[in-house]
Amino acid sequence: MDYTTAARVKVLLGIGVADTSQDSFLGQLITATSSRFDQEMRRHSTQSSRTEVYPVKFSRRLVTLKGAPVTTVSTVKISDTTDFTTATTLVVNDDYIVEQDAGVLRLLTQGTPFTAGMNGRPIAPYYLQVVYTGGFATSQANLASAYPDLAEAADLQVAYLHRRRLTPGGNLSVGDSSTQYTKDYNLLDEVRETLAKYKRISL
């Protein structure tokens, strides 16, 4: 899902609303920037139903889901492999609880460790299959309303990329002449600071 719109970015760039000559290019920048945001935060922006598998060590009791906040959790299954056909289904409030805003699944019990071999060594990691609904928002408008700082960060980053499109950075030398830009274009420092607040931490 896109974090901003061409109309919002055009305000920063001083491009008139009626001027659509840059809309296609802005759309490309917005989509690429939004994908970069998801990668940087290691989260899903779109709120939707998902089935995800997480490897977990027996010493760990917390699993941070990629979609947060969490709206609902349908099922949580535990298995010693990624085949959940005959896996054990965990019971909410008995085996786990969900911290919905943070997108954290807290294990209350892990049952009997999976073991292998004659010596009964624990198998690690084991796996959780989580079927849930989560993510920032269902639309760009809802995201901008709930997370205005993320939408503004996208505005700033896309406007910056648009301005730098003809000066990508680095050094250019021709004969005895050279031109040097301050740095290659990347995420702005203020944008990184905003994304860092939402970055998913694997526990």
Side-chain angles (χ1 to χ4, degrees):
M1 181 174 63
D2 289 344
Y3 282 73
T4 188
T5 64
R8 287 174 57 106
V9 177
K10 286 196 287 188
V11 172
L12 287 182
L13 294 173
I15 299 175
V17 176
D19 183 352
T20 61
S21 62
Q22 297 292 313
D23 282 11
S24 178
F25 180 54
L26 287 173
Q28 295 176 28
L29 291 179
I30 289 169
T31 298
T33 296
S34 300
S35 178
R36 177 71 182 276
F37 278 21
D38 284 353
Q39 294 173 14
E40 287 288 322
M41 292 183 289
R42 303 173 65 201
R43 291 191 179 278
H44 302 303
S45 56
T46 304
Q47 183 185 107
S48 65
S49 177
R50 309 176 187 282
T51 299
E52 296 175 342
V53 176
Y54 297 87
V56 183
K57 295 181 180 179
F58 277 101
S59 60
R60 299 294 176 88
R61 295 283 176 155
L62 299 177
V63 176
T64 53
L65 304 177
K66 296 178 182 178
V70 172
T71 305
T72 59
V73 174
S74 300
T75 60
V76 179
K77 294 183 178 181
I78 185 173
S79 175
D80 59 336
T81 72
T82 54
D83 180 2
F84 292 89
T85 305
T86 59
T88 300
T89 300
L90 301 184
V91 179
V92 65
N93 294 328
D94 288 339
D95 299 316
Y96 70 92
I97 59 175
V98 180
E99 299 175 10
Q100 292 182 289
D101 288 343
V104 173
L105 190 149
R106 184 182 298 273
L107 298 172
L108 302 177
T109 176
Q110 294 170 306
T112 303
F114 298 107
T115 59
M118 296 295 292
N119 57 9
R121 290 181 177 176
I123 297 173
Y126 64 95
Y127 300 91
L128 288 180
Q129 181 193 73
V130 186
V131 181
Y132 72 104
T133 298
F136 286 133
T138 56
S139 68
Q140 189 282 322
N142 290 341
L143 185 146
S145 176
Y147 303 94
D149 53 345
L150 287 175
E152 182 180 12
D155 295 341
L156 293 173
Q157 185 65 32
V158 174
Y160 168 73
L161 293 175
H162 185 274
R163 293 187 182 107
R164 290 292 304 270
R165 68 192 186 280
L166 300 178
T167 56
N171 300 320
L172 174 65
S173 298
V174 180
D176 294 332
S177 301
S178 65
T179 300
Q180 182 176 357
Y181 302 111
T182 56
K183 62 179 179 179
D184 294 343
Y185 61 82
N186 207 320
L187 290 178
L188 296 169
D189 290 342
E190 54 267 46
V191 170
R192 286 190 184 277
E193 291 176 3
T194 298
L195 299 184
K197 295 189 298 182
Y198 297 94
K199 188 168 185 178
R200 171 179 169 265
I201 305 299
S202 299
L203 301 174

